Amino acid sequence: MKNILKIKKLLLRNVMPLFFKLFPIRKQYLFSSYYGKYTDSPKNISEYLHEVDPNAKIYWICDIEMQTDIFPPYVIPVKINTIKSIYLLWTSKYLIDNCQKQIVYRIRKKQLYLQTWHGTPLKKIEFDARHKLPKHYLNYSRVDNQSITYLLVGNEYSENVYQTALRVSSSRYVRSGIPRNDVFFSDKAELVTSIRKQLNIDENCFVVLYAPTFRNSVYEKNDSKNGFTQIEQLNPNLLCEMFLKKFKRKCVILTHFHPNVSKKIDSKFIFSKYGGKVQDVTNDCQTEDLLCVADLLITDYSSIFFDYALMEKPIILFTYDYLDYIQERGTYLNINELPITHATTAIEICKILEENSLDELSEKTRDLNSYVGNYECGKATDIAVNLITKNTQ
């Protein structure tokens, strides 16, 4: 079986492209997000592109396990790692993605490759983490990044990181912000009401979003550092008791795990274990929607807090394994130097909330926005679609 898979990969990634590069390039759009999800900035661009040009032919790479009925009717889903998906990669005029490709791909002359990336980096990425990442991954990354036509950038800090991590020429940067973040600059009242109703959360309930990133053990047979272990570190019962005591409000903790961890989460077990105080919504809602609903974000080394900060709401960084993580992956910024609050234990989190008002924590979030030098203005999707449509020849 393993030999068959190896042969399939060889054909799809090395042999087929030799033929597909001989085919003409067609005016069509190939979208991909997190290697097969219908989410993130590419989703925003796809939907707005359809509004601007209802006749646009839009293909989406989708996960083999994914339900294709989640796509709108104007989208043509294509299973990842199939002959058709590789054919479209080499023959579509426009390529939109938030991650590198899964094959060694070099852009053709008349193609346009728009890369949105998937977050402001805190942990070291790509070539800045080259001693921690597989060589084949870095090879894909090197060739893929050289093919980028436009790279959307959300802040000055990211721009500096990308120069060494992605090795993309600054002449290709578009200082527009990130499309998925546009929602944070709009009226969110109706969206928040809708998501609360979807998740069966009472309107008076305080919502904490816990969104930890993955530890590298996710790539190993022993995955004990991710998922439920991360929830246990947070001690949800203690946190909920504190909220009830100080704010006189019930608290629900929504957990949202990294895509590398999402398939290994037992949501029903988590809900039962904590009597409904914790709900895992990793696969139930768009990340941006969850950020809009959350009254407080608790995360660790995930870039998600840079996005959440745009709404100027309270953030606590939960860095219980900081020294281990620094050795494992490394970070660009010293957590201790960031203007937002951090804690290393669940008890410390409770103490922070007891000694600080939510407004005081929000003030620190505003300081973070200044610290990174934001380019976000709520118009990134418009800018991205304009970049594409002006190159329609």
Side-chain angles (χ1 to χ4, degrees), residues 9 63 90 182 211 245 256 270 326 330 349-350 366 391:
K9 281 186 177 182
D63 193 301
W90 290 97
D182 287 348
K245 181 179 178 181
H256 183 271
I270 291 171
I326 290 297
I349 291 176
C350 291
R366 286 188 278 275
N391 288 276

Side-chain angles (χ1 to χ4, degrees), residues 235-270:
N235 197 339
N237 289 326
L238 180 65
L239 190 59
C240 289
E241 286 173 12
M242 190 283 305
F243 266 98
L244 192 59
K245 181 179 178 181
K246 178 176 179 178
F247 299 106
K248 310 303 180 188
R249 296 172 67 185
K250 287 185 178 180
C251 169
V252 62
I253 299 171
L254 304 180
T255 57
H256 183 271
F257 294 96
H258 190 277
N260 289 346
V261 182
S262 61
K263 292 181 181 179
K264 303 180 181 183
I265 301 301
D266 188 339
S267 299
K268 291 182 179 178
F269 172 77
I270 291 171

Side-chain angles (χ1 to χ4, degrees), residues 139-180:
N139 188 36
Y140 293 166
S141 179
R142 177 181 55 80
V143 179
D144 192 78
N145 293 338
Q146 289 173 354
S147 295
I148 293 172
T149 309
Y150 299 115
L151 173 63
L152 303 189
V153 183
N155 51 60
E156 184 179 357
Y157 159 70
S158 293
E159 183 174 340
N160 293 332
V161 168
Y162 293 159
Q163 291 182 29
T164 57
L166 302 184
R167 298 181 179 177
V168 176
S169 169
S170 59
S171 63
R172 302 179 192 177
Y173 294 174
V174 180
R175 299 166 182 85
S176 59
I178 308 302
R180 72 180 188 192

Side-chain angles (χ1 to χ4, degrees), residues 89-106:
L89 178 62
W90 290 97
T91 59
S92 296
K93 168 77 173 174
Y94 308 100
L95 311 172
I96 300 91
D97 210 329
N98 72 343
C99 294
Q100 64 161 30
K101 305 291 183 294
Q102 283 189 305
I103 67 171
V104 176
Y105 165 78
R106 290 178 175 83

Side-chain angles (χ1 to χ4, degrees), residues 71 94 102 109 147 197 221 250 253 309 311 326 336 347 381:
F71 292 97
Y94 308 100
Q102 283 189 305
K109 248 186 179 181
S147 295
K197 185 176 180 180
K221 290 183 179 180
K250 287 185 178 180
I253 299 171
M311 293 183 287
I326 290 297
N336 299 317
I347 292 174
T381 305

Side-chain angles (χ1 to χ4, degrees), residues 107-125:
I107 193 171
R108 295 175 66 185
K109 248 186 179 181
K110 294 184 179 180
Q111 288 183 304
L112 182 151
Y113 178 12
L114 177 67
Q115 174 60 252
T116 70
W117 203 244
H118 49 275
T120 298
L122 176 62
K123 59 178 177 285
K124 291 193 175 181
I125 60 171

Side-chain angles (χ1 to χ4, degrees), residues 49-304:
L49 175 64
H50 177 69
E51 289 182 28
V52 173
D53 182 7
N55 296 317
K57 200 163 189 178
I58 298 174
Y59 292 93
W60 260 89
I61 299 297
C62 70
D63 193 301
I64 292 173
E65 299 177 6
M66 191 176 181
Q67 296 294 321
T68 56
D69 58 5
I70 71 166
F71 292 97
Y74 58 84
V75 166
I76 306 168
V78 179
K79 297 290 178 66
I80 195 170
N81 291 326
T82 59
I83 293 176
K84 186 172 183 180
S85 70
I86 303 300
Y87 168 77
L88 289 169
L89 178 62
W90 290 97
T91 59
S92 296
K93 168 77 173 174
Y94 308 100
L95 311 172
I96 300 91
D97 210 329
N98 72 343
C99 294
Q100 64 161 30
K101 305 291 183 294
Q102 283 189 305
I103 67 171
V104 176
Y105 165 78
R106 290 178 175 83
I107 193 171
R108 295 175 66 185
K109 248 186 179 181
K110 294 184 179 180
Q111 288 183 304
L112 182 151
Y113 178 12
L114 177 67
Q115 174 60 252
T116 70
W117 203 244
H118 49 275
T120 298
L122 176 62
K123 59 178 177 285
K124 291 193 175 181
I125 60 171
E126 309 301 287
F127 286 96
D128 287 344
R130 57 188 175 276
H131 301 302
K132 308 287 186 178
L133 296 172
K135 287 184 178 180
H136 72 273
Y137 177 94
L138 291 172
N139 188 36
Y140 293 166
S141 179
R142 177 181 55 80
V143 179
D144 192 78
N145 293 338
Q146 289 173 354
S147 295
I148 293 172
T149 309
Y150 299 115
L151 173 63
L152 303 189
V153 183
N155 51 60
E156 184 179 357
Y157 159 70
S158 293
E159 183 174 340
N160 293 332
V161 168
Y162 293 159
Q163 291 182 29
T164 57
L166 302 184
R167 298 181 179 177
V168 176
S169 169
S170 59
S171 63
R172 302 179 192 177
Y173 294 174
V174 180
R175 299 166 182 85
S176 59
I178 308 302
R180 72 180 188 192
N181 291 339
D182 287 348
V183 65
F184 303 141
F185 295 86
S186 63
D187 183 358
K188 299 174 284 296
E190 189 174 327
L191 171 64
V192 170
T193 299
S194 174
I195 298 299
R196 277 181 171 265
K197 185 176 180 180
Q198 177 186 334
L199 299 176
N200 198 28
I201 299 173
D202 185 88
E203 63 179 9
N204 294 318
C205 190
F206 194 93
V207 179
V208 174
L209 177 62
Y210 180 43
T213 193
F214 72 96
R215 289 2 182 215
N216 279 354
S217 59
V218 75
Y219 292 126
E220 304 165 359
K221 290 183 179 180
N222 176 17
D223 192 26
S224 60
K225 295 182 182 179
N226 294 285
F228 185 69
T229 301
Q230 294 170 306
I231 298 178
E232 286 188 308
Q233 290 284 349
L234 187 65
N235 197 339
N237 289 326
L238 180 65
L239 190 59
C240 289
E241 286 173 12
M242 190 283 305
F243 266 98
L244 192 59
K245 181 179 178 181
K246 178 176 179 178
F247 299 106
K248 310 303 180 188
R249 296 172 67 185
K250 287 185 178 180
C251 169
V252 62
I253 299 171
L254 304 180
T255 57
H256 183 271
F257 294 96
H258 190 277
N260 289 346
V261 182
S262 61
K263 292 181 181 179
K264 303 180 181 183
I265 301 301
D266 188 339
S267 299
K268 291 182 179 178
F269 172 77
I270 291 171
F271 187 87
S272 174
K273 172 73 176 179
Y274 293 102
K277 294 176 183 176
V278 181
Q279 295 182 36
D280 179 62
V281 291
T282 305
N283 298 308
D284 296 336
C285 299
Q286 296 286 332
T287 307
E288 307 84 70
D289 294 348
L290 293 173
L291 292 176
C292 289
V293 168
D295 299 304
L296 166 70
L297 173 68
I298 299 177
T299 184
D300 45 24
Y301 321 104
S302 170
S303 63
I304 197 171

